[in-house]
Amino acid sequence: MSLLDELMTSGLVDRADDDRHQMHDLVRLHAWERAVEEEAESEEAALTERVVTHYLSLTALADQALHPGRMRVADSSALMQYWRNPFADGVAALEWMDTERANILAVLEAALRFELHSPAWQLAEACMSLFWHRAYPQDWRKAAALGAEAASAAGAPAAEARLRSLLAYPLLDLGEHEQAREELHKAAACAEAAGHPVLKAGVQEVVGRYAERTAPQTAAAAYERCVSLYEDAGHARGAALARYHLGRCQSTLGAHAQALSTLRMAHAELTALDDERAAARTLTAIGVVHDHLGDPVLALHALRDAACALREQGASYHEAQTLELLADIAERTGGPERDRVRDWLIRAAEIHQAAHSPAEVRLRERIQQLEQSAR
């Protein structure tokens, strides 16, 4: 019998839902009570700092494995120089961050409680890679808000600008548009104070996202400024992503042929940069434009390829969006693909359910209506 088996037999350790193990609640409570009574407060602070450093190091390594070309404010090179990256590839890194999501958030909260502000905002920035792929809007909001608070306390305006602009994304997805606007206003002020050209471009990118809802012309202008700022700063990936957003916005404004040209350019740039996730998202947008141009066959082909690539990359949030677009076009145009609509919607609903996204309810209702009409 292994030592772990002995601990389980003794009732000291339980198997968790994710097939890992954890101490029994009563054991943890007893350990906590003993620590509070017997350990000095300085020991708790030192232990917390060690745990924060451990999670920061691993999360930064996972972030590097997942997105080697992503812009970062934090310089984690000194922190990671003694570590061998344990993640074989981006998929393994993403799965680790997803599994450790609750722990990362708990460590973030502990870091702020003990005023470990610099490692806290660095940890928050590093874990953003998870949310780009899996969304989890409530957790994204929490991590970005804690990181922005820590960056502000640390007197790090560049980090605060970055995290407040990233905080706007889940706020927009959750329908909290006024709060998103306030965060973007603060982010712009911090980016200006930091004098960081790439951060200024990043804030403009989220300003465009905010404006898309009610003022697509304003959004397009913001994305054009964003492309220019990224190009001036020599940030090829940022410019390509901004071009992707610009192409989507051009399509919204009805300039579909122009949008197709812009998106094809962005797709070529992102493919050359080996950013497969962003290239797949751009392919989704290309599919939408083909549909607007009256070619559902090309649209479905592009969207199927995009959904497959996004699934391979573990970008489930964007996969769900693409699957719903596939279902929309197939249901509207008919043909053999219509038989796959229900399966696509079920997969999308399952993704949103796992992410605790409110979109799940809408998708479940749509599936139910589809099943009723088929009877």
Side-chain angles (χ1 to χ4, degrees):
M1 180 182 290
S2 70
L3 293 176
L4 184 58
D5 288 334
E6 288 185 29
L7 289 171
M8 291 182 65
T9 302
S10 301
L12 298 175
V13 168
D14 294 327
R15 189 186 298 274
D17 292 338
D18 57 5
D19 204 33
R20 297 193 301 172
H21 297 81
Q22 62 187 20
M23 287 188 294
H24 189 281
D25 288 345
L26 289 176
V27 175
R28 285 194 290 174
L29 178 61
H30 176 72
W32 175 257
E33 289 173 345
R34 297 276 55 76
V36 169
E37 188 170 321
E38 298 171 13
E39 299 288 347
E41 187 174 339
S42 60
E43 287 296 318
E44 184 182 1
L47 174 61
T48 300
E49 186 170 7
R50 291 197 297 273
V51 172
V52 171
T53 301
H54 172 79
Y55 268 92
L56 172 56
S57 300
L58 282 174
T59 306
L61 286 164
D63 179 38
Q64 286 286 346
L66 191 55
H67 280 306
R70 186 169 69 88
M71 191 277 290
R72 298 168 179 83
V73 176
D75 179 5
S76 303
S77 56
L79 183 70
M80 298 186 296
Q81 63 179 323
Y82 302 111
W83 285 76
R84 180 185 62 82
N85 198 322
F87 305 108
D89 52 34
V91 174
L94 179 60
E95 290 307 315
W96 179 84
M97 278 200 283
D98 203 356
T99 301
E100 294 289 335
R101 183 174 85 255
N103 288 334
I104 291 171
L105 289 170
V107 169
L108 262 176
E109 291 179 314
L112 262 76
R113 195 163 60 247
F114 283 90
E115 299 184 350
L116 300 169
H117 297 126
S118 290
W121 73 252
Q122 292 176 54
L123 176 58
E125 184 189 32
C127 76
M128 289 296 111
S129 286
L130 168 64
F131 302 117
W132 286 124
H133 282 76
R134 301 283 168 86
Y136 300 117
Q138 294 291 358
D139 287 348
W140 185 348
R141 173 185 179 174
K142 183 176 182 179
L146 289 170
E149 180 185 342
S152 177
E160 186 177 354
R162 178 67 171 157
L163 286 158
R164 289 199 186 281
S165 63
L166 293 176
L167 173 56
Y169 281 102
L171 289 172
L172 288 170
D173 285 344
L174 292 166
E176 299 183 32
H177 302 291
E178 183 58 29
Q179 183 64 37
R181 188 190 66 79
E182 291 178 13
E183 294 299 334
L184 284 172
H185 180 74
K186 293 175 184 176
C190 289
E192 195 64 38
H196 196 307
V198 176
L199 278 175
K200 291 180 183 178
V203 172
Q204 280 297 310
E205 184 178 321
V206 194
V207 167
R209 168 74 186 274
Y210 173 81
E212 279 186 38
R213 182 175 54 95
T214 56
Q217 194 72 53
T218 302
Y223 289 138
E224 286 173 348
R225 287 194 297 273
C226 187
V227 171
S228 179
L229 285 167
Y230 274 129
E231 288 180 337
D232 289 346
H235 198 283
R237 180 176 180 272
L241 284 170
R243 219 181 305 278
Y244 151 69
H245 290 300
L246 175 60
R248 290 190 307 101
C249 210
Q250 289 168 338
S251 181
T252 300
L253 290 166
H256 303 306
Q258 183 184 18
L260 187 59
S261 175
T262 302
L263 289 166
R264 282 174 170 166
M265 183 177 179
H267 185 262
E269 291 170 339
L270 291 164
T271 300
L273 291 165
D274 292 324
D275 193 333
E276 296 178 20
R277 181 185 68 92
R281 289 176 62 196
T282 307
L283 194 56
T284 296
I286 288 172
V288 172
V289 172
H290 278 308
D291 183 46
H292 287 311
L293 289 169
D295 196 334
V297 174
L298 279 179
L300 289 167
H301 179 75
L303 290 167
R304 282 195 305 269
D305 286 350
C308 182
L310 289 165
R311 187 165 193 170
E312 288 176 357
Q313 291 296 308
S316 53
Y317 175 69
H318 298 296
E319 180 197 349
Q321 292 179 320
T322 304
L323 290 171
E324 191 170 359
L325 288 167
L326 272 169
D328 290 344
I329 296 171
E331 190 173 21
R332 186 182 73 244
T333 59
E337 297 284 5
R338 191 183 181 92
D339 293 338
R340 302 183 63 187
V341 168
R342 181 177 175 276
D343 292 338
W344 287 331
L345 292 176
I346 288 174
R347 167 68 180 161
E350 288 171 348
I351 290 170
H352 284 295
Q353 180 182 21
H356 307 291
S357 167
E360 182 207 352
V361 176
R362 172 178 54 76
L363 285 167
R364 296 292 184 194
E365 290 174 351
R366 183 174 173 184
I367 292 165
Q368 187 176 29
Q369 292 170 359
L370 195 66
E371 290 172 341
Q372 289 174 346
S373 64
R375 289 171 187 163

